[in-house]
Amino acid sequence: SGERGVVPGAIVTIVGQGIAPDLRGLAVANQGIGPLPTRLAGVEVQFGSVLAPIFHVGNENNRQFVTVQAPFELAAGGVVAVTVRVGGGSTIINNVMVNDYQPGLFETVDQQGRKYAVVLRPDGSFVSPENPGRRGERLRAYLTGLGQVTPAATTNRTGIAGQSVNVPLIVGLNDAGIRLISATYAIGMV
C-alpha cells in the first residue's frame, strides 16, 4: 500500500541503506516452490520473536531492500519491534504499527513504463490496454494487506481452498462499484 505499518500475513518491502550493500541485482528465494527461507543473501528480518519468510533481497540502482511476509502471529492493533540483520550487524525499528488491514494491489510495469494492477482474465491472460477485461467476465486481482482469513492462514504456508478474507471489501473500478464474487487467500501461494 505504501503506507507505514504492517498487517499480519502481508507482503512487506523494507527499504534502507545497509540491507544489501554487497549485492548487485536481486537474490530471489526458491521461485515459489516450497517454503520461503528466513535467511537470504545474508539478510534476516524478525518481527518480535518470529523470523519472517523472505521473497527476495535486492540492491538495484543503490536502492537496497528486502521483501518478506509479515508473520500471521502478529497482533493487529498493537506494535512490534522489527529487527533487520545483515552479516554481523542489526538494526531495530521499534513501535511498528500492526494494522488490521492495509490493502495494496500487486502491480506490474509494461515495456513503456506504465503501471497496471495484476489482474487475470478467465483464460489466464493478464488484463492490459491491449487485452482488456470484458463486461461480465470474472476477473481475478491480486492484493496484499487484507489480514487474517478463515480458516486461519499460517506464516510461510501456502493458501488452501476455502480461506475467505475476514475484512469486508468494497471493490470499485473507474469510480463505480462492481460486484465482488469472493475474496480468498491465494491457493498454492504464500
Side-chain angles (χ1 to χ4, degrees), residues 10-11 13 30 33 47 49 60 67 71 73 81 85 88 93 100 110 113 124 138 187:
I11 297 175
T13 298
N30 53 24
I33 299 171
F47 289 78
S49 62
E60 297 175 334
T67 300
E73 293 85 349
R85 289 187 196 87
I93 305 140
D100 292 323
D110 70 9
R138 288 185 174 195
I187 296 171

Side-chain angles (χ1 to χ4, degrees), residues 47-181:
F47 289 78
S49 62
V50 181
L51 286 171
I54 301 174
F55 288 92
H56 56 256
V57 176
N59 185 343
E60 297 175 334
N61 299 321
N62 207 29
R63 179 179 178 263
Q64 299 173 42
F65 55 93
V66 57
T67 300
V68 301
Q69 179 188 35
F72 275 107
E73 293 85 349
L74 297 176
V79 294
V80 66
V82 179
T83 304
V84 179
R85 289 187 196 87
V86 179
S90 66
T91 297
I92 299 173
I93 305 140
N94 289 307
N95 299 315
V96 175
M97 288 297 304
V98 181
N99 301 305
D100 292 323
Y101 54 89
Q102 197 172 26
L105 279 166
F106 283 96
E107 297 177 330
T108 188
V109 180
D110 70 9
Q111 293 177 339
Q112 288 80 35
R114 299 174 296 187
K115 284 186 179 181
Y116 300 103
V118 176
V119 179
L120 290 178
R121 296 187 58 215
D123 65 3
S125 63
F126 292 99
V127 171
S128 70
E130 298 77 30
N131 188 37
R134 293 179 174 56
R135 185 177 300 277
E137 276 187 329
R138 288 185 174 195
L139 304 176
R140 178 177 296 165
Y142 289 87
L143 292 87
T144 188
L146 299 180
Q148 188 54 271
V149 295
T150 300
T154 306
T155 303
N156 209 14
R157 301 251 176 138
T158 61
I160 58 172
Q163 289 180 295
S164 298
V165 171
N166 293 335
V167 67
L169 297 174
I170 298 171
V171 180
L173 181 65
N174 291 331
D175 296 320
I178 58 174
R179 184 169 67 98
L180 174 66
I181 296 169

